[in-house]
Amino acid sequence: EHNTALALQGEERTAQTEADIPLTGKSFSADCWLLVKSAGTILSHGNGQEKFIIATDNDGHLTITIGDETYTSEKLMPKDLWCYLTVSYKPKDKGGVINATVSEAANTTPLFIDQTVTAYEGVGTLSIGEGMTGAIHELTLWDVAHDNAKAQLERQKTKSPATANLMGYWKMNEGEGRVITDYARNRHLTSTGESWYINNENKAAAL
């Protein structure tokens, strides 16, 4: 169910961790429930020019940007429908490999399959929802490039903070306030304003 989520309302940045999350040269994965209404950044890691950015473009493709390089899926993301997105990255040789899958109802679509990419060497904070409208909840970050098919099968399960390889877990079910709890490592997100999606409505109190 998607009764409570963090609303994305086109701000420059909806929420950000204060603490850095080390991902340089590492395998990692990110999964979330997502409602896409317009294009923009879903999440971004890193500082300066060296960032790992997961986004959607105006045509509905998923894009992944690593530093100066952007990779665009051939297939489209669901729009105006709740979907579950899984993205993984692992270093390989002097570059990396990305995989991404999206599920909506009974439909599962591979967006990237063993796509060769440039190496990611970024360090920094995690930020959510730049320039995008929609909503997001149940965001998880893992220190392994997990099997996306398995992650999709487990999308309805609430994660235990002690789950192996779980390095970030933001349920985004607070429904009020500006602090979004990280149940895995206490790297909480702070939102720029009270911006919540509750029972199919956006409730925002800009500060």
Side-chain angles (χ1 to χ4, degrees):
E1 296 183 1
H2 311 289
N3 292 328
T4 306
L6 181 66
L8 310 176
Q9 303 199 50
E11 295 101 333
E12 179 180 349
R13 181 180 298 113
T14 301
Q16 185 174 12
T17 60
E18 292 184 11
D20 286 353
I21 299 176
L23 295 178
T24 303
K26 296 181 178 180
S27 295
F28 59 88
S29 306
D31 312 325
C32 64
W33 281 104
L34 184 68
L35 176 66
V36 178
K37 290 187 173 293
S38 72
T41 296
I42 301 165
L43 63 86
S44 173
H45 177 269
N47 297 326
Q49 296 298 110
E50 185 63 21
K51 291 185 177 181
F52 189 101
I53 301 170
I54 303 172
T56 61
D57 66 16
N58 289 324
D59 295 319
H61 302 97
L62 185 74
T63 64
I64 296 180
T65 301
I66 304 173
D68 296 329
E69 300 291 331
T70 297
Y71 308 89
T72 303
S73 68
E74 291 186 8
K75 297 182 179 179
L76 302 179
M77 291 279 291
K79 189 176 181 182
D80 297 321
L81 295 167
W82 279 103
C83 62
Y84 194 71
L85 177 65
T86 63
V87 177
S88 67
Y89 167 89
K90 64 179 179 182
K92 185 176 181 181
D93 301 325
K94 293 184 178 180
V97 173
I98 54 173
N99 284 275
T101 303
V102 66
S103 291
E104 180 275 314
N107 304 311
T108 299
T109 304
L111 299 171
F112 291 103
I113 302 174
D114 293 333
Q115 169 75 52
T116 301
V117 297
T118 189
Y120 181 55
E121 302 293 344
V123 176
T125 58
L126 182 73
S127 62
I128 310 295
E130 296 177 26
M132 183 178 190
T133 59
I136 184 173
H137 72 107
E138 286 287 318
L139 172 64
T140 54
L141 184 66
W142 309 81
D143 64 3
V144 63
H146 60 36
D147 183 303
N148 284 349
K150 182 179 179 183
Q152 289 287 349
L153 289 173
E154 296 180 349
R155 63 186 182 272
Q156 300 288 359
K157 294 182 179 179
T158 298
K159 313 298 187 293
S160 164
T163 302
N165 302 114
L166 184 62
M167 63 184 301
Y169 182 24
W170 300 270
K171 295 181 182 181
M172 301 179 176
N173 63 352
E174 286 83 357
E176 62 181 6
R178 296 178 55 200
V179 176
I180 301 161
T181 301
D182 173 13
Y183 289 88
R185 302 283 181 89
N186 293 317
R187 287 187 281 239
H188 309 311
L189 290 159
T190 301
S191 63
T192 53
E194 289 196 48
S195 184
W196 295 100
Y197 170 101
I198 300 173
N199 296 327
N200 298 316
E201 295 182 5
N202 284 339
K203 297 185 177 181
L207 302 183

